[in-house]
């Protein structure tokens, strides 16, 4: 088991369809002590869900748009578990109207909201973890992104812009975190049916296109993305940082 003896924090579990839940399962299977965080509206559901992974605990991080909420959550985790070896950032949100309408109609407030929750929260999480001395030597941070950061995907709109900022942040954070022997990488996952994906107009057609055109001719699962996350948490990836790794059955390499 490649994560034996490690403690990882999975931020962003909402339900059993969450990509973050796939990461929690894979990390647990690989021997990690798994610690989940979620917002208040998902707390009861996630507490029930983690019973499938004995010993897994859940902590409230209600609003990643507030530094004090992140800090309070991390203080509780450190008090109960000491330093940790990995953090998964699986957090994103945009206003529904900014995903349903043309991108050009994105409001100033909607743009700022998507950037704050989906991108800047990674910077805040990394900074606060570093300030609190929460990360063990050799720790690894992973964040989830999507191909809509690279190409204009119909319906992804402002979230694509936020994910592009997230990916740039990963590169810059790799330099700062590397000074403390910590790594950070992104996983660009193929489209998966999640609660968040329901907000994307005609999402089903995106799944159909991937299945038709990807070299492997199928869509990815939360298990596959979770396994890649466990690898990036592990010492087997100790020389990898600042990268965006595609876990999409090869869809990103295909042209017309």
């Amino acid at each position: 088991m490649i994560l034996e003896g490690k403690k990882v924090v999975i931020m962003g579990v909402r339900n059993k369809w969450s990509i973050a839940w796939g990461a929690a399962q894979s990390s647990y299977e690989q021997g990690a002590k798994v610690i989940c965080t979620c917002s208040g509206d998902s707390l009861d559901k996630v507490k029930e869900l983690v019973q499938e992974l004995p010993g897994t605990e859940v902590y409230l991080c209600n609003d990643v748009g507030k530094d004090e909420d992140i800090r309070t959550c991390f203080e509780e985790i450190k008090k109960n578990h000491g330093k940790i070896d990995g953090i998964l950032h699986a957090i994103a949100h945009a206003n529904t109207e900014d995903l349903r309408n043309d991108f050009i109609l994105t409001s100033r407030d909607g743009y700022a909201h998507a950037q704050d929750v989906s991108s800047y929260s990674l910077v805040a999480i990394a900074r606060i973890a570093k300030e609190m001395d929460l990360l063990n030597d050799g720790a690894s941070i992973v964040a989830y992104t999507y191909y809509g950061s690279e190409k204009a995907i119909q319906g992804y709109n402002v979230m694509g812009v936020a994910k592009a900022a997230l990916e740039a942040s990963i590169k810059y954070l790799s330099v700062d975190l590397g000074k403390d022997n910590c790594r950070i990488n992104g996983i660009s996952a193929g489209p998966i049916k999640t609660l968040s994906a329901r907000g994307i107009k005609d999402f089903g057609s995106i799944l159909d296109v991937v299945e038709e055109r990807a070299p492997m001719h199928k869509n990815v699962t939360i298990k596959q993305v979770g396994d890649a996350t466990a690898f990036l948490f592990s010492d087997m990836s100790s020389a990898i940082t600042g990268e965006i790794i595609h876990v999409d059955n090869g869809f990103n390499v295909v042209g017309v």
Side-chain angles (χ1 to χ4, degrees):
M1 294 187 288
I2 62 175
L3 296 180
E4 190 72 42
K6 291 187 181 292
K7 294 170 284 186
V8 299
V9 175
I10 308 295
M11 304 186 73
V13 177
R14 298 178 69 185
N15 53 45
K16 66 180 180 180
W17 297 284
S18 299
I19 305 178
W21 179 238
Q25 291 175 304
S26 293
S27 297
Y28 182 85
E29 290 169 1
Q30 291 299 327
K33 165 68 178 179
V34 176
I35 303 158
C36 293
T37 79
C38 66
S39 57
D41 58 352
S42 302
L43 186 60
D44 291 340
K45 187 178 295 184
V46 176
K47 281 185 174 180
E48 181 178 352
L49 187 61
V50 300
Q51 292 178 21
E52 298 178 17
L53 309 178
T56 299
E57 298 179 20
V58 182
Y59 291 82
L60 180 66
C61 187
N62 202 45
D63 187 356
V64 293
K66 297 178 180 178
D67 285 4
E68 56 268 31
D69 282 17
I70 299 171
R71 190 175 298 277
T72 298
C73 176
F74 283 178
E75 285 173 349
E76 285 294 307
I77 290 173
K78 187 174 183 181
K79 180 177 71 174
N80 293 328
H81 302 284
K83 291 187 179 184
I84 61 173
D85 303 287
I87 299 175
L88 171 65
H89 176 282
I91 301 165
H93 190 267
N95 294 331
T96 301
E97 61 269 23
D98 293 325
L99 298 175
R100 295 287 180 175
N101 297 326
D102 289 347
F103 173 68
I104 200 171
L105 299 175
T106 305
S107 67
R108 187 180 296 272
D109 287 345
Y111 188 100
H113 171 74
Q115 289 284 355
D116 185 32
V117 176
S118 311
S119 177
Y120 183 75
S121 61
L122 176 65
V123 181
I125 286 165
R127 184 188 71 249
I128 292 168
K130 182 177 177 179
E131 290 172 350
M132 293 178 57
D133 193 25
L134 180 63
L135 301 172
N136 271 323
D137 184 63
S140 172
I141 299 175
V142 181
Y144 287 163
T145 183
Y146 174 60
Y147 189 56
S149 65
E150 303 173 49
K151 303 291 183 182
I153 304 295
Q154 187 174 3
Y156 205 56
N157 297 357
V158 70
M159 187 58 70
V161 178
K163 290 297 189 181
L166 180 82
E167 292 180 15
S169 298
I170 287 169
K171 292 177 174 64
Y172 281 93
L173 286 169
S174 71
V175 177
D176 295 337
L177 292 169
K179 299 171 185 176
D180 299 310
N181 196 34
C182 294
R183 300 180 293 111
I184 183 167
N185 292 286
I187 290 177
S188 184
I192 296 175
K193 286 183 179 179
T194 64
L195 187 62
S196 297
R198 294 177 188 175
I200 300 172
K201 188 177 180 180
D202 298 326
F203 180 75
S205 64
I206 297 176
L207 294 173
D208 293 340
V209 169
V210 171
E211 188 171 349
E212 177 187 350
R213 297 185 182 177
M216 301 299 290
H217 296 289
K218 56 186 176 182
N219 284 286
V220 298
T221 66
I222 64 171
K223 168 66 173 172
Q224 290 171 320
V225 179
D227 286 347
T229 306
F231 164 71
L232 288 175
F233 279 153
S234 79
D235 294 338
M236 294 180 71
S237 61
S238 61
I240 302 174
T241 194
E243 294 288 342
I244 308 299
I245 297 175
H246 292 84
V247 181
D248 63 356
N249 283 316
F251 179 75
N252 72 98
V253 307
V254 179
V256 293

